[in-house]
Every structure is written in C-alpha cells, then in structure tokens.
C-alpha cells in the first residue's frame, strides 16, 4: 500500500525513488532498561539506560526520512506480518516453535541481551514480513530501490537460534524469496559493525548467494554466536568461497572502508555477477556508536551507498534491497542512514551536512590488513584467483 496516511508523497520518477517499507507496530518491541543491554538493575545506580536496540533510534530514522532533505526522494509503503510458513524458508520449525512458545509464556531472554518481551514476537513477524514485502516490490518491478526500515534487527539470527538482539533473519528470508522467485544469484553486502553471522550461516553451503561482511574484528561471543567472522570462514561444499569475511581493525574509518570496498567487495561482485543485490546496513560502524569501535562518518556511508548503487546498476539491473540492522547512537545513526541513502540515489552534492563531521583516522594499518585479506582470498577462493 503506497503513500499511506501521514506519509509525504512524491511525483518523482520511480527510478529516482527509494521505496521505504515501515509499520509502527514494530515500535511495540520493548527491550527494557538496565546496564547497557543486560537488562540488569544492580540497585546502586540512580539512572538506568535504555537497551541500545530501543524504539527511539528507529523513530529518528523514520523522522529524518519524513522531514529531512531526502524526503522528496522517498515513497512510503506499509508491509504485513510474515506467515509462519514463510519463516520456514530460512528457519527450522523447532526454532520457530521455541519463539512462539516463549511469546505464549509472556517472554524470555533468548540469549545475552536479546529479550523477547510481550509485543516482541508481533514486531518480529512485522519486521520479517515488511522485508519480504520490500523484496516483492522489487521483484514485481514496482521500483529499483527498496528499504526495509525494520526492528527487531535480524542478521545475527541463524536458522536454529537467535542472537545479538535478533529473532528472525529478515534479510535472509528476503534473499530466499529472491531465489525462489527466479533470481539466479544474490549478493549480500553487510556493513553492520558486527559480523552478519546468521545470514552467512543460512547460505553457507550455497553457491547461489555471495555473502560479504565488513565488520570489526570481534570474534565469537559465546554459544549464540559460535562463528568468529575470520577470513577462513569461507563456506562449505559447493558454497566454499562464497562467504567472504572482511574483519577490519578497530578504528577503521572512511578511507579504510572505501579501500576495502574498492579492493575486496567490488572485484568479488564483478566475478559473481548477481542479478539481485542486498545491502544490510548498520550505522553502528559510525565513529560515535556505543556498540562499535569503528570510525565511519556520514561521508563514508555516502560513499558506500554510491558504490553499491554503481554495482547494482551494472549487474542487477539497478535492483537493490536495503535492510536495516544496528545503529545505536540515537541521533547520529539517523544522519548516517540519510547519507547512505543519498549515496544510493547518487546525488551530485550532499543533501545534509555532518553535524559532527571529522574524526581522525589512521588508515595505514587497515590498508595493510586489507591487502593481507586480498592476498589470502586470491590464493584460497577459487572464483577469485584471477580477479
């Protein structure tokens, strides 16, 4: 349903629009308060903080797209909850049943920091269904660029378990929909500061999906996240070589990310030649995010969006799905989202200036790391040997 009540309309051509899918029902996912994401009240603090994955962060993303300079380029759409049968294209019945039972019993801490509270399951079904609606919009030819503004996030959710604030893998479900709808190959680029382990796990044994993750080098954080995100996690069987991890040193900023995209991401996508592209975005790679240790600014996000747009134009007939993940600085995350979408639109000049702007970056060490990753991939990944 396009141009819902209260949403600004646009007379611009469809190819110059970003079709944003959203529903306020996702705000009902209440993650609570405590010490950061623990939900713990130690009893000796007068002021507890909201869980980092709270509704306020997404409210600002919504408002900056409605009232910011990019608003004339936005077409608004509603989505719908995912069906249980749709979830089984990525997740196991046993895991889905676990979530349904947890909701029926009033909630559960799925794993550290990941709270399924009353209202969370309905929000998770909406997030999954809205992402599927956005992908269907592209598949049906109604627009080239669609953005699923969703929460709870999804890229850590694996086929058999939740992880890292995620219950259902929104992007993974959309990728499977694209394959089931006739797409030959789908490329997924994840720029959230944390490894997109769930999406990677879902397609780890497939040569139809190329998953690329740029993340800080954080390793495994326990049973819910057994994957390390290291360069040697390349896939298995026919999927060997189609999961490319790019763990970047803490402090990597605009120059380092740009170098990684140019020297690692672009050559891989050129060799893979996808007919659908998915950009998994998290603004927690920004210089000021409480949940990451990287140094991207608005210009870095804008550059990534521009580069992804170029690859989509070249290989997937411009078709690009963007799926929201992390980003926990309540105000700056919204600015970085705005910049990413400016890049996707390929605007000639920035529409919005950076209120924080410059953050110092020493790009020399990240470039050395990226060159080492490049050497390893060319020696190890069959389809990249002559890239």
């Amino acid at each position: 349903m396009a141009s819902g009540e209260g949403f600004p309309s646009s007379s611009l051509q469809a190819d110059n629009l970003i079709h944003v899918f959203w529903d306020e029902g996702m705000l009902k996912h209440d993650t609570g308060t405590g010490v950061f994401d623990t939900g713990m009240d130690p009893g000796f603090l007068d002021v507890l903080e909201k869980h980092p994955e709270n509704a306020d962060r997404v409210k600002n993303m919504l408002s900056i797209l409605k009232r910011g300079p990019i608003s004339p380029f936005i077409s608004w759409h509603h989505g719908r909850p995912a069906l249980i049968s749709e979830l089984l294209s990525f997740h196991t019945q046993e895991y889905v049943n676990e979530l349904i039972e947890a909701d029926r019993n009033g909630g559960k801490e799925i794993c550290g920091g990941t709270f399924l509270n009353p209202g969370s399951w309905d929000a998770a079904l909406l997030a999954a269904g809205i992402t599927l609606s956005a992908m269907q919009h592209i598949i049906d030819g109604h627009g080239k660029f669609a953005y699923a503004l969703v929460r709870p996030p999804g890229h850590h959710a694996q086929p058999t378990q939740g992880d890292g604030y995620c219950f259902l893998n929104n992007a993974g479900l959309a990728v499977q929909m694209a394959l089931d709808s006739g797409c030959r190959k789908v490329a997924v680029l994840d720029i959230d500061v944390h490894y997109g382990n769930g999406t990677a796990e879902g397609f780890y044994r497939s040569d139809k999906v190329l998953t690329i993750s740029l993340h800080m080098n954080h390793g495994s954080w326990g049973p819910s996240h057994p994957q390390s995100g290291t360069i040697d996690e390349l896939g298995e069987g026919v999927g060997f070589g189609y999961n490319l991890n790019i763990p970047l040193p803490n402090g990597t900023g605009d120059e380092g990310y740009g170098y990684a995209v140019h020297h690692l991401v672009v050559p891989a996508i050129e060799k893979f030649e996808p007919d659908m592209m998915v950009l998994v975005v998290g603004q927690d790679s920004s210089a000021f995010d409480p949940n990451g240790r990287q140094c991207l600014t608005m210009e870095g996000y804008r550059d990534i969006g521009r580069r992804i747009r170029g690859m989509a134009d070249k290989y997937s007939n411009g078709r690009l799905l963007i799926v929201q993940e992390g980003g926990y600085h309540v105000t700056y995350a919204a600015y970085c989202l705005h910049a990413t979408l400016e890049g996707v639109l390929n605007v000639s000049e920035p529409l919005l200036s950076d209120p924080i702007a410059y953050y110092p970056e020493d790009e020399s060490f990240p470039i050395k790391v990226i060159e080492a990753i490049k050497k390893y991939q060319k020696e190890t990944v069959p389809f990249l040997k002559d890239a």
Side-chain angles (χ1 to χ4, degrees):
M1 183 188 304
S3 298
E5 183 178 353
F7 292 149
S9 61
S10 174
S11 60
L12 298 175
Q13 294 298 312
D15 284 355
N16 295 327
L17 292 175
I18 294 177
H19 298 265
V20 179
F21 286 74
W22 162 257
D23 191 286
E24 289 195 357
M26 292 179 289
L27 298 176
K28 295 179 180 178
H29 174 44
D30 183 357
T31 47
T33 60
V35 177
F36 198 59
D37 65 0
T38 64
M40 177 185 72
D41 181 353
F44 48 72
L45 296 177
D46 285 342
V47 180
L48 297 176
E49 60 190 316
K50 289 184 178 181
H51 188 288
E53 204 294 282
N54 62 70
D56 290 348
R57 54 183 283 271
V58 174
K59 287 179 181 177
N60 273 344
M61 294 176 189
L62 178 69
S63 63
I64 204 168
L65 298 185
K66 282 185 176 182
R67 304 197 302 273
I70 203 170
S71 61
F73 297 89
I74 302 296
S75 174
W76 290 93
H77 305 259
H78 291 294
R80 43 98 182 163
L83 303 174
I84 298 300
S85 59
E86 292 176 313
L87 305 182
L88 302 182
S89 69
F90 187 91
H91 296 287
T92 64
Q93 183 72 66
E94 292 76 14
Y95 173 56
V96 172
N97 288 345
E98 176 190 339
L99 295 175
I100 293 171
E101 184 67 17
D103 177 60
R104 186 180 295 129
N105 292 333
K108 176 182 178 182
E109 184 174 5
I110 301 299
C111 60
T114 306
F115 299 96
L116 193 148
N117 292 324
S120 298
W121 179 235
D122 288 343
L125 289 173
L126 267 174
I130 285 168
T131 308
L132 290 172
S133 297
M135 177 60 86
Q136 191 67 60
H137 192 80
I138 296 173
I139 291 169
D140 291 343
H142 298 312
K144 294 293 182 72
F145 314 127
Y147 167 50
L149 176 52
V150 292
R151 70 179 291 265
H155 73 148
H156 295 310
Q158 297 141 71
T160 61
Q161 64 178 353
D163 174 44
Y165 314 162
C166 303
F167 307 109
L168 300 172
N169 197 305
N170 308 313
L173 290 163
V175 168
Q176 190 59 54
M177 169 184 271
L179 295 173
D180 293 343
S181 299
C183 289
R184 297 177 303 104
K185 294 190 289 187
V186 182
V188 181
L189 175 62
D190 188 327
I191 62 168
D192 187 279
V193 80
H194 305 106
Y195 176 34
N197 61 310
T199 316
E201 184 69 24
F203 302 104
Y204 207 63
R205 295 153 193 86
S206 172
D207 60 355
K208 306 300 182 188
V209 180
L210 174 64
T211 48
I212 307 175
S213 179
L214 287 83
H215 49 267
M216 69 178 182
N217 193 8
H218 54 68
S220 169
W221 54 60
S224 71
H225 190 107
Q227 304 85 2
S228 65
T230 50
I231 60 175
D232 57 347
E233 290 180 347
L234 288 165
E236 293 178 351
V238 297
F240 181 79
Y242 294 95
N243 184 66
L244 301 178
N245 291 332
I246 306 173
L248 297 170
N250 288 2
T252 303
D254 296 350
E255 295 298 324
Y257 269 82
Y259 195 87
V261 171
H262 179 72
H263 289 276
L264 299 177
V265 176
V266 171
I269 290 178
E270 284 181 345
K271 294 290 291 185
F272 187 66
E273 296 184 332
D275 51 357
M276 180 68 75
M277 290 192 58
V278 177
L279 174 62
V280 179
V281 294
Q283 296 79 25
D284 44 5
S285 298
S286 85
F288 306 100
D289 197 273
N291 223 348
R293 297 296 178 267
Q294 303 297 50
C295 291
L296 276 177
T297 69
M298 285 179 68
E299 185 50 42
Y301 280 103
R302 191 178 288 112
D303 181 63
I304 291 171
R306 190 178 299 118
R307 291 172 188 259
I308 291 299
R309 161 70 184 271
M311 287 185 282
D313 285 345
K314 187 172 182 180
Y315 296 107
S316 61
N317 194 29
R319 300 191 299 176
L320 173 65
L321 172 67
I322 306 161
V323 183
Q324 182 61 45
E325 295 291 347
Y328 306 105
H329 191 291
V330 172
T331 54
Y332 196 59
Y335 276 82
C336 292
L337 168 64
H338 195 286
T340 305
L341 299 185
E342 287 179 44
V344 170
L345 289 168
N346 205 19
V347 296
S348 57
E349 296 290 337
L351 301 177
L352 187 64
S353 61
D354 194 323
I356 305 176
Y358 178 74
Y359 194 91
E361 173 191 3
D362 177 7
E363 68 269 24
S364 59
F365 181 54
I367 287 174
K368 289 179 181 177
V369 171
I370 292 161
E371 284 296 325
I373 296 173
K374 180 180 178 180
K375 182 176 184 293
Y376 175 83
Q377 289 181 349
K378 292 194 74 168
E379 292 173 349
T380 311
V381 177
F383 86 98
L384 291 178
K385 286 188 182 295
D386 58 347

